C-alpha cells in the first residue's frame, strides 16, 4: 500500500499531457478476443485496470506485448473456458468480456463482478439484453452462466441507459451474422470509439440518436486503432487548474468531449481557450457558485462529479450538487470536510456546498479512483501538508500521476 504526500499551494505552470481513455481501451482489449489474430492499439495508458484485464486474457492463452503506449494482443492461442473468477472480481469492467467470449466460444461462466464504494453496480441490464437476443442466462450462488442458443431475436431495448451493457451487446452483436438493433443505447465517446474499432474490424454499424444497428460477421479481421484521449483525465486536469487558480495547458486531448464541463466553467466565469487538441485554462481568483447535476452523455459526466465537487468548495456562494447515476458517489465530500469544506448533505445523492472555503491539509483516504484524484487536487489547493492513503486506487486510472503533476510544479511524492 502506498500513499501520496502533498505540500499545497505551490504555483503551477506549464503543460500536462493527457493519455488514452481507460474506458475505451479496456473494451477494445475485450474486443480483441473476437479477432483470431493481432490487434494493435496505440495510446493505451499503462494503468492497473488495463493490466488486470490483460492478465485475465493471458491466463486464457492470449499473448500481449506492450511498448510504451502501444499494445499488441494476439488471441490466436486463446483457449475456450472461463475467465479466472478471482481476477474477474478484481475489476468490474471485466463484465464486458461476456459479449466477445460468448460470441467466440458459445458459453461463459463469470461471477458477479461486484459492487464498489460508489454503488451496488448491478448487471441486470446486461442479463436482460442478452436474454432479449436469445442467450440463455442462469445464476447459481453469484456465478452466472451465459450460453448461446439457436434462437435469433434481433433487437433489445434498454429500459435504462448503461455504458458497459451497451458495449457488451455491441461486442456480441459484431460477431453475429444477422442484423441486431440496440435501442436506448449509451453514446459516450468511449462507446463511439469502440464502434469505430469494430467497424475497422469489419462490422457494419450505424448510429442514429440512441439506436445502434449492427450487421456483424463471423470473420472480423485484424485491427490497428488509436484510442481516443481520456476525457475524464483531461477534465480532471482542467479542474485542477481552476481549483488551484493557476493557468495550465492540457494537451493531447479532445476539447469537444468536454462540452458539458466547459459549459459549467463558462457559467462560473472560469476562462479557457479551446485548441484543436488542447485546452488552456486561465483560472480567475474568484468564480461563481452553480448547481450541478450529472447525467448520461452528453450530460455532465458522473466521473467528473467528484473533482467538480472540490472545485465548488472554492466557488463564491451556495452550490448544489446532485449525483443521478450512482447511489453513493458523494463520499469524497466527507474527506473534504476534514479539510474544512462546508458541505450539507441532503441525502446520499445530493448536497449543498458553500464557498469559497480555504482548505487545510489533512490525512485522507482515497475511496475510489475518481475520489482519489479529487483528493489529490484538494491537497494541491490546500494550505499545508496532505497525505492520501491507498494511492493504488488512483493508479487504477491515472498513469504516473505524481510525475506529470511534478512537471508543472506540484510538491507531491509517493511513499510506500
Ligand atoms: C461505466 O460504468 C464506466 N466504467 C464508469 O466509469 C462510468 O461512471 C459509468 O459508465 C457511467 O458513465 C467503464 O466504462 C469501465 P452504467 P458502467 O452501466 O457501465 C445502473 C470510472 O471511474 N445499472 O452506465 O458500470 C448503474 O447502477 C468508472 O472510470 C443498472 O442498474 O455504468 C448506474 O446507476 C466509474 N443495471 C447506471 O445504471 C445494470 O445492469 C449507469 O451505469 C448496469 C447499470
Amino acid at each position: 500500500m502506498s500513499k501520496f504526500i502533498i505540500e499545497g499551494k505551490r504555483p503551477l505552470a506549464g503543460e500536462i499531457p493527457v493519455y488514452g481513455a481507460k474506458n475505451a481501451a479496456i473494451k477494445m482489449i475485450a474486443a480483441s478476443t473476437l479477432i483470431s489474430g493481432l490487434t494493435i492499439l496505440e495510446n493505451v495508458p499503462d494503468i492497473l485496470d488495463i493490466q488486470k484485464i490483460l492478465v485475465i486474457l493471458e491466463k486464457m492463452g492470449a499473448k500481449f506485448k506492450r511498448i510504451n503506449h502501444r499494445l499488441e494482443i494476439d488471441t490466436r492461442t486463446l483457449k475456450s473456458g472461463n475467465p479466472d473468477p478471482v481476477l474477474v472480481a478484481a475489476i468490474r469492467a471485466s463484465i464486458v468480456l461476456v459479449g466477445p467470449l460468448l460470441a467466440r466460444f458459445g458459453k461463459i461462466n463469470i461471477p458477479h463482478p461486484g459492487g464498489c464504494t460508489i454503488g451496488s453496480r448491478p448487471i441486470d441490464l446486461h442479463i436482460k439484453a442478452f436474454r432479449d437476443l436469445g442467450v440463455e442466462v442462469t445464476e447459481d450462488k453469484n456465478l452466472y452462466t451465459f450460453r448461446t442458443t439457436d434462437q435469433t431475436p434481433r433487437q433489445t431495448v434498454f429500459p435504462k441507459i448503461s455504458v458497459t451493457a451497451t458495449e457488451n451487446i455491441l461486442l456480441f452483436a459484431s460477431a453475429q451474422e444477422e442484423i441486431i438493433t440496440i435501442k436506448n443505447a449509451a453514446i459516450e465517446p468511449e462507446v463511439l470509439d469502440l464502434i469505430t474499432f469494430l467497424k475497422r474490424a469489419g462490422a457494419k454499424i450505424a448510429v442514429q440518436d440512441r439506436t445502434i444497428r449492427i450487421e456483424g460477421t463471423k470473420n472480423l479481421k485484424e485491427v490497428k486503432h488509436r484510442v481516443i484521449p481520456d476525457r475524464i483525465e483531461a477534465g480532471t486536469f482542467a479542474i485542477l487548474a481552476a481549483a488551484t487558480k493557476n493557468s495550465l495547458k492540457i494537451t493531447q486531448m479532445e476539447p469537444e468531449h468536454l462540452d458539458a464541463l466547459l459549459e459549467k466553467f463558462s457559467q462560473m466565469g472560469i476562462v479557457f481557450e479551446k485548441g484543436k487538441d488542447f485546452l488552456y485554462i486561465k483560472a480567475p481568483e474568484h468564480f461563481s457558485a452553480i448547481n450541478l447535476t450529472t447525467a448520461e452523455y452528453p450530460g455532465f459526466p458522473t466521473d467528473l462529479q467528484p473533482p467538480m465537487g472540490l472545485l465548488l468548495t472554492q466557488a463564491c456562494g451556495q452550490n448544489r450538487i446532485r449525483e443521478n447515476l450512482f447511489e453513493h458517489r458523494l463520499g469524497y465530500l466527507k474527506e473534504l470536510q476534514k479539510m474544512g469544506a462546508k458541505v450539507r448533505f441532503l441525502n446520499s445523492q445530493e448536497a449543498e456546498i458553500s464557498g469559497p472555503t480555504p482548505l487545510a491539509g489533512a490525512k485522507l483516504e482515497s475511496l475510489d479512483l475518481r475520489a482519489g484524484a479529487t483528493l489529490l487536487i484538494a491537497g494541491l489547493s490546500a494550505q499545508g501538508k496532505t497525505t492520501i492513503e491507498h494511492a493504488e486506487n488512483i493508479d487504477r486510472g491515472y498513469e504516473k500521476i505524481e510525475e506529470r503533476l511534478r512537471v508543472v510544479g506540484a510538491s507531491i511524492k509517493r511513499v510506500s
Side-chain angles (χ1 to χ4, degrees):
M1 301 280 214
S2 60
K3 60 186 171 185
F4 285 122
I5 297 180
I6 297 160
E7 281 299 333
K9 288 214 176 297
R10 295 295 170 85
L12 307 179
E15 299 189 1
I16 301 190
V18 171
Y19 295 161
K22 161 178 93 80
N23 291 346
I26 288 174
K27 294 35 172 297
M28 288 163 195
I29 291 167
S32 74
T33 61
L34 291 169
I35 298 161
S36 188
L38 258 192
T39 294
I40 297 172
L41 294 173
E42 304 282 1
N43 203 27
V44 178
D46 191 1
I47 52 178
L48 291 182
D49 276 9
I50 296 284
Q51 288 157 24
K52 286 178 185 172
I53 202 96
L54 287 170
V55 168
I56 292 174
L57 295 184
E58 194 177 43
K59 266 197 94 170
M60 294 178 74
K63 293 187 179 61
F64 72 90
K65 194 165 63 177
R66 174 187 275 280
I67 309 126
N68 299 325
H69 285 174
R70 174 189 166 98
L71 191 60
E72 293 181 8
I73 309 165
D74 186 345
T75 65
R76 274 173 295 208
T77 48
L78 186 74
K79 294 185 291 300
S80 71
N82 299 314
D84 180 309
V86 173
L87 296 177
V88 162
I91 167 163
R92 244 202 65 74
S94 56
I95 188 72
V96 297
L97 290 172
V98 172
L101 292 178
L102 185 62
R104 182 159 174 167
F105 299 123
K107 182 177 176 252
I108 175 174
N109 291 322
I110 195 164
H112 187 293
C116 64
T117 51
I118 66 176
S120 57
R121 313 300 292 276
I123 60 168
D124 58 311
L125 295 174
H126 297 250
I127 292 168
K128 178 225 180 279
F130 278 115
R131 283 180 172 151
D132 287 351
L133 297 178
V135 171
E136 187 188 278
V137 186
T138 50
E139 185 251 338
D140 175 25
K141 298 190 197 67
N142 237 9
L143 185 70
Y144 289 86
T145 302
F146 296 79
R147 194 180 278 109
T148 48
T149 66
D150 53 9
Q151 300 168 47
T152 56
R154 312 294 3 116
Q155 176 171 293
T156 182
V157 183
F158 279 108
K160 180 178 164 94
I161 293 166
S162 164
V163 170
T164 46
T166 298
E167 291 164 334
N168 232 340
I169 299 301
L170 261 173
L171 290 162
F172 176 72
S174 291
Q176 308 304 314
E177 298 290 349
E178 298 81 7
I179 294 172
I180 289 177
T181 303
I182 304 173
K183 294 202 166 185
N184 201 27
I187 50 170
E188 274 65 4
E190 296 76 24
V191 177
L192 301 183
D193 199 33
L194 177 63
I195 287 173
T196 303
F197 175 99
L198 292 167
K199 286 167 77 173
R200 283 215 173 108
K204 293 189 181 71
I205 303 177
V207 183
Q208 176 76 35
D209 300 328
R210 286 192 185 277
T211 296
I212 304 177
R213 182 183 178 277
I214 306 115
E215 192 174 341
T217 166
K218 288 280 180 228
N219 307 305
L220 291 167
K221 55 189 191 299
E222 297 190 342
V223 178
K224 188 165 183 293
H225 180 83
R226 181 175 181 79
V227 178
I228 54 170
D230 193 315
R231 64 193 166 99
I232 303 305
E233 190 174 84
T236 304
F237 292 141
I239 292 168
L240 163 70
T244 56
K245 301 181 181 166
N246 287 293
S247 298
L248 287 176
K249 187 175 183 184
I250 294 111
T251 62
Q252 297 176 193
M253 53 83 74
E254 178 56 71
E256 300 313 305
H257 292 161
L258 286 177
D259 284 346
L261 174 67
L262 297 176
E263 165 58 29
K264 288 300 174 190
F265 274 17
S266 300
Q267 283 175 25
M268 299 170 80
I270 294 168
V271 178
F272 58 87
E273 179 201 337
K274 271 167 57 167
K276 184 175 163 306
D277 61 351
F278 71 84
L279 193 55
Y280 186 69
I281 305 292
K282 195 161 173 28
E285 191 52 34
H286 303 290
F287 39 81
S288 316
I290 54 163
N291 290 338
L292 182 74
T293 301
T294 62
E296 297 84 2
Y297 195 86
F300 191 91
T302 175
D303 293 346
L304 286 180
Q305 182 267 109
M308 203 60 181
L310 178 272
L311 182 63
L312 299 186
T313 66
Q314 304 308 308
C316 303
Q318 185 82 10
N319 306 274
R320 180 170 285 216
I321 195 162
R322 174 149 184 85
E323 169 54 62
N324 277 330
L325 275 80
F326 292 106
E327 56 267 44
H328 298 297
R329 200 167 198 175
L330 298 183
Y332 69 95
L333 288 172
K334 292 190 177 70
E335 295 298 299
L336 298 183
Q337 283 178 315
K338 293 177 189 170
M339 305 176 86
K342 291 198 186 69
V343 180
R344 188 167 81 86
F345 290 94
L346 306 174
N347 54 58
S348 71
Q349 291 184 261
E350 207 160 3
E352 282 173 352
I353 302 168
S354 45
T357 313
L359 299 179
K363 282 184 180 311
L364 305 172
E365 282 215 34
S366 74
L367 310 164
D368 68 73
L369 166 64
R370 308 302 177 185
T374 299
L375 300 183
L376 269 183
I377 302 174
L380 295 169
S381 320
Q383 189 63 48
K385 181 173 142 184
T386 295
T387 59
I388 302 174
E389 302 290 342
H390 310 311
E392 56 287 347
N393 271 345
I394 301 168
D395 297 330
R396 278 190 46 211
Y398 301 88
E399 180 187 340
K400 299 193 185 79
I401 187 74
E402 72 268 37
E403 289 170 31
R404 285 189 277 170
L405 292 173
R406 272 201 294 270
V407 166
V408 293
S411 164
I412 174 170
K413 65 174 186 270
R414 180 194 296 256
V415 297
S416 299

